[in-house]
Each structure stands twice: as structure tokens, then as C-alpha cells.
Amino acid sequence: MNLDELYQEVILDHYKRPRGAGLREPYEGESHQVNPTCGDEITLRVHVEDGKVADVSYDNVGCSISKASASVMYELINGTTVNDALAKLAEFTELMNSKGQSEGDEDSLEDAVAFAGVSKYPMRVKCALLGWMAFKDALVRAEASIPGRTDA
């Protein structure tokens, strides 16, 4: 089995058995994102507690890439610090914007490196980033909901 086939298997596994799927409470931030190009949609909730991403939950419809990417994102950021989650977001975004020139750091991105080949196809990049952008937006909304917060 070559690397491309292995990556396809990883994406299919996350698509068929999504991790973290289903909207849960409690949550402080929620975001609904749509990719108008293809119709993919996601509603994502984030629960932040003591500087950590205590839970990420989502409900999505769409292609295998957008669904699998949300599942991989859940595994990478759920339970991490907010700063670590933002670092993963930045690293994955950089991989998706590499136009196939980066393979990604498997030690850091784990299963997310399977999307390296997607970065060659601009229309598919939006699919892979949909859940990540929903997370970023939900996190901003969560931080804005903190009582007494003046910089949000």
C-alpha cells in the first residue's frame, strides 16, 4: 500500500466513523458555516473551561473530505489548551494553503497529514477547512461570552 492509498483509508475511516459528532451541551460558542461552492454545512459548538477546549461537538453534512476533516480536527484539539488548538489550526491551514508543496508534520498533525494531497485542489481546500473555520468562529464567540471580558 502506498502513501496515497493509506491517506485515502484514513480519510474514509474518519468519514465512516466520525469522532466527536453530535451536538452536545454545555457550550459557550457556536458557529454555523456553509461552503456555498458545494453545499457542505457544519454547525459546531465549543466548550471552553480553564483555558482548555473541554469539548468540541458538531453536526455536519457534506462530502467525505469535509466530514473527515471535522473528525480529525476533533481528535487533534479536543481536550487541549486553547493556545495549542489555535496552533493546530494554524498548522493545518498552512498545510491546506501549501498547494501540495508540504507534507505536514505527522508528529504534530497526526491523521490530518492525510489531507496534504487535498491542498493541490483549491475547490477541495474549502471543504477540508470548513470545520476548522467553524471552530475558529465558535472560539471567538465563546471568548466573547466570558463575563467581564472587554477585549472581545
Side-chain angles (χ1 to χ4, degrees), residues 35-38 40 66 118 121-131:
N35 181 347
T37 307
C38 64
D40 291 353
S66 69
V118 172
Y121 307 99
M123 296 302 283
R124 305 307 297 191
V125 167
K126 290 180 182 182
C127 299
L129 285 173
L130 188 65

Side-chain angles (χ1 to χ4, degrees), residues 10-70:
V10 168
I11 291 171
L12 283 174
D13 179 53
H14 278 274
Y15 170 67
K16 292 177 181 175
R17 288 177 284 289
R19 285 64 154 182
L23 294 173
R24 293 181 291 280
E25 294 187 10
Y27 66 94
E28 292 74 37
E30 180 178 86
S31 178
H32 180 78
Q33 300 290 315
V34 177
N35 181 347
T37 307
C38 64
D40 291 353
E41 292 188 42
I42 188 167
T43 299
L44 183 139
R45 293 177 176 172
V46 64
H47 173 51
V48 179
E49 193 172 295
D50 299 326
K52 289 195 170 197
V53 179
D55 190 31
V56 174
S57 63
Y58 61 91
D59 184 31
N60 60 350
V61 293
C63 69
S64 60
I65 291 172
S66 69
K67 293 185 88 158
S69 183

Side-chain angles (χ1 to χ4, degrees), residues 87-143:
K88 298 287 186 195
L89 166 67
E91 192 174 354
F92 186 73
T93 302
E94 183 179 318
L95 175 65
M96 289 296 91
N97 290 326
S98 75
K99 298 181 178 164
Q101 300 303 305
S102 174
E103 295 177 3
D105 180 359
E106 189 172 357
D107 290 335
S108 177
L109 287 177
E110 300 174 21
D111 281 353
V113 298
F115 295 89
V118 172
S119 70
K120 298 175 191 172
Y121 307 99
M123 296 302 283
R124 305 307 297 191
V125 167
K126 290 180 182 182
C127 299
L129 285 173
L130 188 65
W132 294 83
M133 294 302 102
F135 168 71
K136 184 178 180 181
D137 184 48
L139 189 59
V140 167
R141 293 168 188 261
E143 290 176 344

